[in-house]
Amino acid sequence: MSNNDYPDIRYLFEPRSVAVIGASRDPAKIGYKVVENIVVGGYKGRIYPINPGGGDIMGLPACKSVDSVDGEVDVACVVIPSHKVFSAVEGCARKRVKHVMVITSGFSEVGNGAEEKKIAAFARQSGMRIMGPNMFGLYSSSSSLNATFGPRDVRAGGVAIITQSGALGLAMIGKTSVENIGLSAICSVGNKSDLDEADLLEYLVPHDDTKVILMYIEGVRQGEKFIRALKKATRIKPVVVVKSGRSKRGAAAAASHTGSLAGADNVFDAIMRQCGALRAETVKEAFDWCSFMSNNALPDGQETVIITNGGGIGVMATDASEKYGVPLYDNMVTLKEIFSPVTPEFGSMKNPVDITGQAQSDHYDAALDAALNCEDIHAVVALYCETAVFDAEKLPAMVKNNYERFRNARKPILFSLFGGENTERCVTELSREQVPVYGDVYESVSPLGAMYAYRRHLAHYVEAVDTVALDVNAINAIIAGARNEERYFLLTNEAQEIMKIAHIPIPRTLIARSLNEAVNSSREIEYPVVMKVVSKDIIHKSDAGGVALDLENEKEVIDAYEAIMRSCKAHVPGAHIEGVEITEMVSAGTELIAGAKIDPSFGPIVMVGLGGIYVEVMKDVAFRAYPLNRSEVLSMIEQIRSYPLLLGVRGEKTKDISSLVDIILRLGSIVEQCRGISDIEINPVMVYDQGMGSKAVDVRILLSKDQ
Amino acid sequence: MSNNDYPDIRYLFEPRSVAVIGASRDPAKIGYKVVENIVVGGYKGRIYPINPGGGDIMGLPACKSVDSVDGEVDVACVVIPSHKVFSAVEGCARKRVKHVMVITSGFSEVGNGAEEKKIAAFARQSGMRIMGPNMFGLYSSSSSLNATFGPRDVRAGGVAIITQSGALGLAMIGKTSVENIGLSAICSVGNKSDLDEADLLEYLVPHDDTKVILMYIEGVRQGEKFIRALKKATRIKPVVVVKSGRSKRGAAAAASHTGSLAGADNVFDAIMRQCGALRAETVKEAFDWCSFMSNNALPDGQETVIITNGGGIGVMATDASEKYGVPLYDNMVTLKEIFSPVTPEFGSMKNPVDITGQAQSDHYDAALDAALNCEDIHAVVALYCETAVFDAEKLPAMVKNNYERFRNARKPILFSLFGGENTERCVTELSREQVPVYGDVYESVSPLGAMYAYRRHLAHYVEAVDTVALDVNAINAIIAGARNEERYFLLTNEAQEIMKIAHIPIPRTLIARSLNEAVNSSREIEYPVVMKVVSKDIIHKSDAGGVALDLENEKEVIDAYEAIMRSCKAHVPGAHIEGVEITEMVSAGTELIAGAKIDPSFGPIVMVGLGGIYVEVMKDVAFRAYPLNRSEVLSMIEQIRSYPLLLGVRGEKTKDISSLVDIILRLGSIVEQCRGISDIEINPVMVYDQGMGSKAVDVRILLSKDQ
């Protein structure tokens, strides 16, 4: 059944009527709380409390069952015990309810997955969509619907929250209200038996009232679907993500908590970056970002000036700007030109612009005017350290007026105010009015950094998908061969064959069955060459004296051939020796590692990192997921700390990065198109100077076991 | 003049009498503000306003000059214009004032360093100590003295603040008051013409009322003195440091702001770690740490349990614990034993312990009891997500009572409360009562991490100083030789000679003046060897064909000798060739970089890092300063990310770390004892398997130019 057979998900957020199956007259019950919240929240549609006992609930007549409701039901909230849920869902199907929110818990999260699957499968057949089970309900500002058992008062506004933790979500309703962050929607996804985060994004992305989307994630299941939805979403509006389970132990705790597979955090992190989602570390940081971005339009550029009345905090703001990726405007000529009229003698016109401890309200006005009336400056971080000189009474007006003035010009000002009671009160009161004012320098820079990161994503994102045409059948034949032998790894020659099929350059190799052939092959491959014995009977070639490196001429090839034969025969008596393999001696280049694999959360992903023994120790790796294009691979390569090695250090030439991108795209395509492969790793891949290409020196391929 | 000739610095913080030179009747003047703050602040000693006009100031009779004061003056605050300061200081000397605080600005910070030096030199001759100039004064709780022009109300308590930024310091007085952080002292160091941070520590370290010291630093000048003072201080009480100028641009901004040399941040960071100081990133974080540590005794261990009513926040606290170095208790047997009676069926007895969303006040009591009555558990991070089940009215009592109960047992509980208005009010009110309660999970874990870091420092700190006996004269003779030639770098053989003098192993080398000698030398050194031409006329040896690597036997040595002679003569006709240098061919080991240098802020420091081309790109280096011991060098080596390479990865053996420590101590001793050297770098130093030592392959030595 395709998605088109389902009712529009809009009815979930904007239902014309809501039934509460399990509505109760007992205020201690969730069945009461949900009805109360819907009624008190001012929902404009029809409300149908369902209770077998009938009677009145909150002044509304209760129906005995959903079937007996007189009128259509867009959404049914189910709050009855888990063993009764299936039969209620059957009733909903009969009534042709569009969406069922199963608030009830006691399903897969406590090991009762069978019942949950049964319900989801039944709903699917009946053309209904299920939210939950095990969720707290849903709030939607567009229909003034608070169908949750959480706090009664939800502040309406521009932030939509999708949370994987119900407990945290409920508390967020209260916390956002305290922090004056308005919500357009909030819901928990529960056990995701049917609808998941990606589905909810379908509604929220085109939803005008939603300015920013905040997601709290513990683990991702249908990663490929999620990536597609997220990429689409970030084209339209910012998505802020908080994912717990960053640490190893945290990931284990998350897995035991939600049953989600909390994958490697660095993979998750890289994919969020690829999708243009903004990852916040803490809920507090996420709230700050969402609040700021939901209230302020994107500026036209990201040249930022710090204006301060204290040197120390100016320096801290400079540090914070680097940390959060906020570029500081540094055209000294312009800075001097615009700030010299408004900066006192012992101040500084460099950025940070120091208007000194003598600055009063109108000095701030003048400096902010000077900065933001300049075309080349797009935002200001304004710092204030409490002084005796500044008239505290004027502080709130100074902050608010300047903010409002430039807000309409899409030139945000973020304030950091540091001081005693008056200052603190100003922070508290103005942040209640959604003015971006903070008590700490770092806190004031961080939301601007998030906004710029989003802006950069919009500017640099390339929509294309670069797929490589592959002879999939030829690769699958090799995989099938290994599988026939019940092998889940490929032999060197098999792996090399796949590289050839995928047009990934590997060292030239020939097999020689005699001394004469060895000499000819070496000449053909070009000196220097490496010689290795070929024999099924000899596993450890080096130990048997079966390897000779760096052979530079015919004489050395002849000597080596004879030495190898002698030594191997002595070492493994009776071994059948088929000949020797002559390989090009790979010249030194920049050693990287490149790979592609099937990630348990996200499906096919590619990887690049610093090669050799350093990959394990330095963990300097980056990832990207499918769908994938060249530009994303390039940004992955740029992300590794050792990227400067590819640009050339110590006067070395720039390396052939483009050939590396090409190899990675090919690796990814193999894994994406031939799903029998779980893992390809090239370590090392030698990257040579620009124009000289790259070479896959050592390739290891593993097959997936679950096929 | 030795320090003993000065009055005890205690009189600066606990003066029996204070004169204010420049006291004013005009409330707009600093000279009024300082007197007002002293009087209103409740200072118990004698106050002498000094004003040439005489009369009354704040009800106190003003003296016309400090000379005319009837009685001793321990501290004189100077608030007159800068050009009059010197003459006032002369008056103080006549009056035998002990300490002069020059609040007045307009000295070295605006280029007027000569006047400042003159004042400091005069004071020094007269046996007085100077604070400032360009400072905001000083507050000291022990004498209820608020001799500042900042806020009137200072909250007394256990935190002493020393700040390099006056503006920030003044604002901190207000901010600490708002956040209910009590101060034992606060002062800015100004231009440090005489007394600096290290001197102030002398008083604050034994000062009983000071529980924690907070320092705001922009740059360090007398680094060696500072290190000694800081090391002494952290033996007695925690020192929290905020240093701005972490980023490159921030460092530049700091330098232009204070004139301090803001050195490389990674050097500063490493030295703070060595000294046991706790570096906070933001002022907010520093305040949280100070407040927590000033109110809570160190626990007996660091086994921590997270107790939560929500899975999601539990996972976040687990992440935060890893971030901030908080070890989570994980004895599953004990956890199950103590928590099974207090955890509901669908909760978790693993750490984080999840007492579920059904938890009420008494469930928290029971879980906290279970945890903290267990001998093996030393602290708890208790998380609360607002739920409808928990009676909000009981929240403050639950938090406060549990905290107080276990506080006396030195078992801290840190709370994170997340939710709506009631929850938020509880956070605000209880944190005002110094209960460690926070609105964000990360914020609640961070202070515990700081406390543990301090605890670990106390436990692992080794007092010793390991100095290496060196033939300093022999090294100085080599340095003098180079200096005579006006060279500021040493030649290879000079550098090697210094390595020999310092007993740092280098590859064996012999000079051979004939083919015969070359053959004999090669045999003596043992094959394989490297041969290099020795000729003053041949600069680029490789280009001239003057180098041969990996010579494995007599035949190859003979061939190489002849080839080198032939090629060099052809390449540089008429070159005088003295012979060849035969060097041991160094076998491969773990390549590191080791060094020692004179840091402009901290004096002699040592360095270790990942070697080869990676040092530049990965910036995986660590530093330590003098005085230095083996244990500190070892902890420096352990700090680099590539440390696992030394422990052995991929089944490799552990490397000879002890020999590396030895080399680093010797390098450091050279630089410390022979101050003519500014920089020694060994790149690479090859570290071999345990027992096989290390070898300094390539040594580069630079001389200091300012000698």
Side-chain angles (χ1 to χ4, degrees):
Chain A
M1 191 181 269
S2 86
N3 267 337
N4 293 336
D5 298 325
Y6 286 111
D8 191 331
I9 196 176
R10 188 163 69 87
Y11 290 115
L12 179 64
F13 287 89
E14 300 171 31
R16 294 156 299 182
S17 55
V18 174
V20 180
I21 302 177
S24 168
R25 257 175 303 272
D26 177 357
K29 291 250 164 107
I30 285 179
Y32 176 88
K33 188 75 186 156
V34 173
V35 178
E36 185 192 28
N37 277 346
I38 296 174
V39 172
V40 175
Y43 173 59
K44 299 290 184 302
R46 286 174 307 263
I47 312 170
Y48 303 113
I50 312 292
N51 187 307
D56 260 33
I57 293 173
M58 292 275 304
L60 297 164
C63 297
K64 296 205 170 177
S65 73
V66 75
D67 309 58
S68 58
V69 168
D70 182 20
E72 273 190 58
V73 175
D74 282 347
V75 167
C77 302
V78 177
V79 287
I80 50 179
S82 56
H83 65 274
K84 294 183 179 173
V85 170
F86 183 73
S87 122
V89 171
E90 284 182 317
C92 291
R94 286 192 298 271
K95 183 66 190 169
R96 300 192 168 275
V97 168
K98 293 190 178 59
H99 300 287
V100 182
M101 293 203 290
V102 184
I103 290 177
T104 308
S105 59
F107 293 91
S108 63
E109 84 281 9
V110 295
N112 188 9
E115 183 73 5
E116 182 175 312
K117 275 193 187 142
K118 187 175 132 194
I119 293 167
F122 173 78
R124 192 158 275 268
Q125 283 166 10
S126 318
M128 295 189 299
R129 304 224 63 173
I130 301 265
M131 276 290 290
N134 185 30
M135 62 163 322
F136 65 65
L138 177 146
Y139 163 82
S140 158
S141 72
S142 289
S143 54
S144 300
L145 174 68
N146 181 5
T148 75
F149 58 88
R152 257 160 56 159
D153 298 321
V154 188
R155 205 186 150 92
V159 180
I161 301 180
I162 302 174
T163 170
Q164 224 172 82
S165 162
L168 185 62
L170 284 177
M172 277 178 171
I173 298 177
K175 186 80 169 183
T176 48
S177 173
V178 169
E179 302 213 341
N180 299 282
I181 295 168
L183 301 182
S184 61
I186 181 166
C187 70
S188 62
V189 290
N191 297 354
K192 297 192 264 189
S193 69
D194 174 21
L195 290 170
D196 63 12
E197 294 90 345
D199 298 307
L200 300 176
L201 287 177
E202 296 271 320
Y203 170 76
L204 295 171
V205 170
H207 183 233
D208 279 343
D209 292 346
T210 297
K211 306 299 179 198
V212 182
I213 299 166
L214 167 58
M215 306 181 86
Y216 170 76
I217 296 176
E218 287 173 354
V220 173
R221 267 181 295 185
Q222 289 191 271
E224 297 180 66
K225 178 182 170 193
F226 181 57
I227 289 172
R228 279 169 213 273
L230 201 51
K231 278 189 170 179
K232 257 171 70 181
T234 58
R235 300 301 295 157
I236 310 296
K237 53 189 67 168
V239 178
V240 174
V241 168
V242 177
K243 179 178 172 285
S244 58
R246 297 172 84 97
S247 60
K248 250 194 186 155
R249 182 161 186 149
S256 78
H257 166 51
T258 53
S260 285
L261 182 75
D265 193 72
N266 52 1
V267 173
F268 180 87
D269 206 74
I271 292 174
M272 288 307 103
R273 187 193 287 231
Q274 177 184 7
C275 294
L278 306 165
R279 186 167 181 196
E281 184 171 26
T282 66
V283 173
K284 184 181 177 355
E285 187 172 55
F287 279 6
D288 281 351
W289 292 0
C290 288
S291 177
F292 178 67
M293 287 193 289
S294 67
N295 287 300
N296 294 279
L298 288 183
D300 288 335
Q302 48 181 22
E303 292 290 351
T304 307
V305 165
I306 297 167
I307 294 175
T308 181
N309 72 337
I313 49 173
V315 176
M316 281 191 274
T318 308
D319 292 341
S321 297
E322 185 167 292
K323 175 174 179 180
Y324 296 113
V326 170
L328 298 184
Y329 182 68
D330 58 5
N331 182 325
M332 290 300 168
V333 178
T334 309
L335 283 170
K336 197 170 172 190
E337 187 186 311
I338 62 178
F339 287 112
S340 65
V342 298
T343 312
E345 193 184 349
F346 296 119
S348 169
M349 287 166 287
K350 284 180 198 163
N351 190 3
V353 175
D354 188 348
I355 56 174
T356 83
Q358 297 307 308
Q360 300 181 31
S361 183
D362 49 345
H363 297 109
Y364 273 95
D365 295 343
L368 288 167
D369 263 339
L372 292 174
N373 288 328
C374 171
E375 254 189 15
D376 299 341
I377 297 173
H378 307 104
V380 166
V381 174
L383 313 176
Y384 167 75
C385 237
E386 186 171 292
T387 64
V389 171
F390 195 106
D391 181 353
E393 305 229 322
K394 290 186 177 165
L395 185 60
M398 184 282 279
V399 169
K400 196 176 171 188
N401 295 343
N402 281 306
Y403 166 67
E404 297 289 0
R405 227 151 38 99
F406 290 104
R407 185 188 175 206
N408 298 329
R410 284 181 294 115
K411 293 203 171 187
I413 312 175
L414 300 95
F415 291 87
S416 169
L417 313 181
F418 187 85
E421 216 163 317
N422 289 325
T423 306
E424 201 68 8
R425 196 179 317 117
C426 181
V427 173
T428 311
E429 285 172 9
L430 289 183
S431 60
R432 225 167 255 172
E433 298 179 37
Q434 316 287 351
V435 178
V437 46
Y438 309 86
D440 178 88
V441 168
Y442 278 69
E443 283 173 6
S444 69
V445 178
S446 158
L448 188 59
M451 183 179 262
Y452 284 163
Y454 179 61
R455 215 186 155 277
R456 285 193 294 269
H457 173 74
L458 287 182
H460 298 305
Y461 184 72
V462 174
E463 193 85 44
V465 175
D466 290 326
T467 38
V468 178
L470 284 178
D471 186 346
V472 174
N473 290 335
I475 297 175
N476 281 339
I478 295 171
I479 297 171
R483 255 186 225 293
N484 278 342
E485 297 176 16
E486 289 186 10
R487 252 194 297 122
Y488 292 101
F489 61 92
L490 297 189
L491 301 174
T492 306
N493 62 322
E494 292 168 336
Q496 286 172 343
E497 192 53 37
I498 289 178
M499 293 299 103
K500 283 180 195 161
I501 293 169
H503 298 289
I504 294 174
I506 55 171
R508 290 185 302 278
T509 293
L510 290 171
I511 303 293
R513 289 172 203 285
S514 65
L515 174 56
N516 209 23
E517 276 184 38
V519 169
N520 290 338
S521 298
S522 299
R523 196 181 306 126
E524 194 177 331
I525 281 173
E526 291 174 10
Y527 294 108
V529 298
V530 174
M531 188 185 294
K532 282 183 197 166
V533 68
V534 177
S535 165
K536 286 200 172 159
D537 303 324
I538 300 172
I539 311 293
H540 302 292
K541 292 174 184 171
S542 292
D543 294 352
V547 179
L549 302 173
D550 201 12
L551 308 176
E552 295 191 328
N553 51 48
E554 191 169 316
K555 183 178 172 303
E556 288 185 17
V557 165
I558 294 169
D559 289 353
Y561 185 89
E562 284 165 353
I564 283 176
M565 291 302 148
R566 199 164 48 237
S567 171
C568 286
K569 279 172 186 160
H571 212 86
V572 187
H576 173 68
I577 297 175
E578 296 162 53
V580 292
E581 180 191 88
I582 306 290
T583 310
E584 156 192 10
M585 176 94 182
V586 177
S587 55
T590 301
E591 280 190 38
L592 293 182
I593 180 173
K597 62 183 280 186
I598 301 295
D599 181 82
S601 297
F602 291 105
I605 62 172
V606 292
M607 183 264 261
V608 73
L610 182 60
I613 49 171
Y614 298 105
V615 65
E616 286 169 41
V617 174
M618 305 306 284
K619 303 196 169 41
D620 182 25
V621 288
F623 304 87
R624 288 297 182 270
Y626 270 80
L628 188 67
N629 62 43
R630 289 193 79 82
S631 145
E632 291 171 314
V633 173
L634 193 61
S635 97
M636 168 177 75
I637 296 171
E638 285 167 2
Q639 191 189 321
I640 60 174
R641 290 195 302 275
S642 38
Y643 178 62
L645 291 180
L646 291 173
L647 292 180
V649 288
R650 296 192 182 171
E652 279 187 10
K653 287 191 186 141
T654 302
K655 307 303 166 200
D656 200 331
I657 297 171
S658 162
S659 68
L660 178 62
V661 171
D662 201 61
I663 287 179
I664 292 169
L665 277 174
R666 288 170 187 280
L667 284 181
S669 293
I670 295 171
V671 164
E672 200 217 1
Q673 294 173 39
C674 315
R675 289 284 171 117
I677 293 175
S678 70
D679 212 307
I680 308 185
E681 193 180 287
I682 308 180
N683 188 10
V685 52
M686 289 289 184
V687 186
Y688 299 110
D689 289 350
Q690 188 128 45
M692 307 298 283
S694 297
K695 207 161 269 181
V697 178
D698 206 355
V699 184
R700 199 177 53 92
I701 300 184
L702 302 180
L703 305 184
S704 46
K705 292 197 175 158
D706 51 2
Q707 283 216 327
Chain B
M1 189 181 272
S2 86
N3 265 339
N4 294 337
D5 297 326
Y6 285 111
D8 190 332
I9 194 176
R10 190 164 69 87
Y11 289 116
L12 180 63
F13 287 88
E14 300 172 30
R16 293 156 301 184
S17 55
V18 174
V20 180
I21 302 176
S24 166
R25 255 176 304 274
D26 177 356
K29 292 248 164 110
I30 285 180
Y32 175 87
K33 188 75 187 155
V34 172
V35 178
E36 186 192 28
N37 276 346
I38 296 174
V39 172
V40 175
Y43 173 59
K44 300 289 185 302
R46 287 173 308 263
I47 311 170
Y48 303 114
I50 312 291
N51 186 308
D56 260 31
I57 293 175
M58 291 276 303
L60 297 163
C63 297
K64 296 203 169 179
S65 73
V66 76
D67 309 58
S68 59
V69 167
D70 181 18
E72 273 189 58
V73 174
D74 283 346
V75 167
C77 301
V78 178
V79 287
I80 51 180
S82 56
H83 66 274
K84 295 184 179 170
V85 171
F86 183 74
S87 121
V89 171
E90 284 182 317
C92 291
R94 287 192 297 272
K95 183 65 190 169
R96 299 192 170 276
V97 168
K98 293 187 178 62
H99 299 287
V100 183
M101 291 203 291
V102 184
I103 290 176
T104 308
S105 58
F107 293 91
S108 63
E109 85 280 10
V110 295
N112 189 9
E115 184 72 6
E116 181 175 311
K117 274 194 186 141
K118 187 175 131 195
I119 293 167
F122 173 79
R124 190 158 276 268
Q125 282 165 10
S126 318
M128 293 189 301
R129 304 224 62 173
I130 301 264
M131 274 291 290
N134 184 28
M135 62 164 322
F136 65 65
L138 176 147
Y139 162 82
S140 158
S141 71
S142 290
S143 55
S144 300
L145 174 68
N146 180 7
T148 74
F149 58 87
R152 259 162 53 160
D153 298 320
V154 189
R155 204 185 150 92
V159 180
I161 301 180
I162 303 173
T163 169
Q164 224 173 80
S165 163
L168 184 64
L170 284 177
M172 277 177 172
I173 297 177
K175 185 80 169 182
T176 48
S177 172
V178 169
E179 302 214 342
N180 300 281
I181 296 169
L183 301 182
S184 60
I186 181 167
C187 69
S188 62
V189 292
N191 296 353
K192 298 192 264 191
S193 69
D194 175 19
L195 291 169
D196 62 12
E197 294 90 345
D199 298 306
L200 299 177
L201 286 177
E202 295 269 322
Y203 169 76
L204 294 171
V205 171
H207 182 235
D208 279 342
D209 292 347
T210 298
K211 307 299 179 199
V212 181
I213 299 167
L214 168 59
M215 306 182 84
Y216 170 76
I217 296 176
E218 287 172 353
V220 173
R221 265 179 299 188
Q222 288 190 273
E224 296 180 67
K225 177 181 170 194
F226 181 56
I227 288 171
R228 279 169 215 274
L230 200 51
K231 278 189 171 180
K232 258 172 68 181
T234 59
R235 301 300 296 155
I236 311 298
K237 54 189 66 167
V239 178
V240 174
V241 169
V242 177
K243 178 177 172 285
S244 57
R246 297 172 84 98
S247 60
K248 248 191 187 158
R249 180 159 190 152
S256 78
H257 166 51
T258 53
S260 286
L261 182 74
D265 192 73
N266 53 0
V267 173
F268 180 87
D269 205 74
I271 292 173
M272 288 307 104
R273 188 194 287 233
Q274 177 184 7
C275 293
L278 305 166
R279 185 165 183 200
E281 184 171 27
T282 66
V283 173
K284 183 180 177 353
E285 186 174 56
F287 279 6
D288 281 350
W289 292 1
C290 289
S291 177
F292 178 66
M293 288 192 289
S294 67
N295 287 301
N296 295 279
L298 287 183
D300 289 335
Q302 49 182 21
E303 292 290 352
T304 306
V305 166
I306 297 167
I307 293 174
T308 182
N309 72 338
I313 50 174
V315 177
M316 282 191 273
T318 308
D319 292 343
S321 296
E322 185 168 292
K323 176 175 180 179
Y324 295 113
V326 169
L328 298 185
Y329 182 68
D330 58 5
N331 182 325
M332 290 299 167
V333 178
T334 309
L335 283 169
K336 197 171 171 190
E337 187 186 312
I338 62 179
F339 287 112
S340 64
V342 298
T343 313
E345 193 185 349
F346 297 119
S348 168
M349 289 167 286
K350 285 180 197 164
N351 191 2
V353 174
D354 187 347
I355 56 174
T356 82
Q358 296 307 309
Q360 301 181 31
S361 184
D362 49 346
H363 297 111
Y364 273 95
D365 294 344
L368 289 166
D369 263 339
L372 292 173
N373 288 328
C374 170
E375 255 190 12
D376 300 340
I377 297 172
H378 306 103
V380 166
V381 174
L383 313 176
Y384 167 77
C385 237
E386 187 171 291
T387 64
V389 172
F390 195 105
D391 181 354
E393 305 231 319
K394 290 188 177 165
L395 185 61
M398 185 282 280
V399 169
K400 197 176 173 189
N401 295 344
N402 281 306
Y403 166 66
E404 296 291 0
R405 226 150 38 98
F406 290 105
R407 185 188 176 206
N408 299 330
R410 285 182 292 115
K411 294 203 170 187
I413 312 176
L414 300 96
F415 291 87
S416 169
L417 313 181
F418 187 84
E421 215 164 316
N422 289 325
T423 306
E424 202 68 9
R425 196 180 316 119
C426 180
V427 172
T428 312
E429 285 173 10
L430 289 183
S431 61
R432 224 167 255 173
E433 298 179 39
Q434 315 287 351
V435 177
V437 45
Y438 309 85
D440 178 88
V441 167
Y442 278 69
E443 284 175 5
S444 68
V445 177
S446 160
L448 187 61
M451 182 178 262
Y452 285 162
Y454 179 60
R455 215 186 155 277
R456 285 192 295 269
H457 174 73
L458 287 181
H460 298 304
Y461 185 71
V462 174
E463 193 84 46
V465 175
D466 290 324
T467 38
V468 178
L470 284 178
D471 185 347
V472 174
N473 291 337
I475 297 175
N476 282 340
I478 295 171
I479 297 172
R483 258 186 222 291
N484 278 342
E485 299 175 15
E486 291 188 7
R487 250 194 299 120
Y488 293 102
F489 60 92
L490 297 189
L491 300 174
T492 306
N493 62 322
E494 292 168 336
Q496 286 171 345
E497 191 54 36
I498 289 179
M499 293 299 103
K500 282 181 195 159
I501 293 169
H503 298 290
I504 293 173
I506 55 170
R508 293 184 300 278
T509 294
L510 289 170
I511 302 291
R513 289 170 204 284
S514 66
L515 174 58
N516 210 21
E517 276 184 40
V519 169
N520 290 336
S521 298
S522 299
R523 196 181 306 123
E524 194 177 330
I525 280 174
E526 291 175 9
Y527 294 109
V529 298
V530 173
M531 187 184 294
K532 284 184 196 167
V533 69
V534 178
S535 165
K536 286 200 173 156
D537 302 325
I538 301 173
I539 311 291
H540 301 292
K541 292 175 184 170
S542 291
D543 293 353
V547 179
L549 302 173
D550 200 12
L551 309 176
E552 294 191 327
N553 50 48
E554 191 170 316
K555 183 174 174 304
E556 289 186 13
V557 165
I558 294 170
D559 289 353
Y561 185 88
E562 284 165 354
I564 283 176
M565 291 303 147
R566 198 165 49 236
S567 172
C568 286
K569 279 171 187 162
H571 212 87
V572 188
H576 173 68
I577 296 175
E578 294 163 52
V580 292
E581 180 191 271
I582 306 289
T583 309
E584 156 193 9
M585 176 92 182
V586 176
S587 55
T590 301
E591 280 191 38
L592 293 181
I593 179 171
K597 62 184 280 186
I598 301 295
D599 181 82
S601 298
F602 291 105
I605 62 171
V606 292
M607 183 264 264
V608 74
L610 182 60
I613 48 171
Y614 297 105
V615 66
E616 286 170 41
V617 175
M618 304 306 285
K619 306 200 167 37
D620 182 25
V621 290
F623 304 86
R624 289 296 182 270
Y626 270 79
L628 188 67
N629 62 43
R630 290 193 78 83
S631 143
E632 291 172 314
V633 173
L634 193 60
S635 96
M636 168 177 74
I637 296 171
E638 287 166 0
Q639 191 189 321
I640 58 173
R641 289 195 302 274
S642 39
Y643 178 61
L645 291 180
L646 291 172
L647 291 180
V649 287
R650 293 192 183 173
E652 279 187 12
K653 286 190 187 145
T654 303
K655 307 301 166 202
D656 200 330
I657 297 170
S658 163
S659 69
L660 178 63
V661 171
D662 200 61
I663 287 179
I664 292 169
L665 277 173
R666 288 170 187 281
L667 285 181
S669 293
I670 296 172
V671 164
E672 199 216 1
Q673 294 173 40
C674 315
R675 289 285 171 119
I677 293 176
S678 70
D679 212 307
I680 309 186
E681 191 179 289
I682 308 180
N683 188 11
V685 52
M686 289 289 183
V687 186
Y688 298 110
D689 289 350
Q690 187 127 48
M692 307 297 285
S694 297
K695 205 159 270 180
V697 178
D698 205 357
V699 184
R700 199 177 52 94
I701 300 185
L702 302 179
L703 305 184
S704 46
K705 291 194 174 156
D706 52 1
Q707 283 216 331

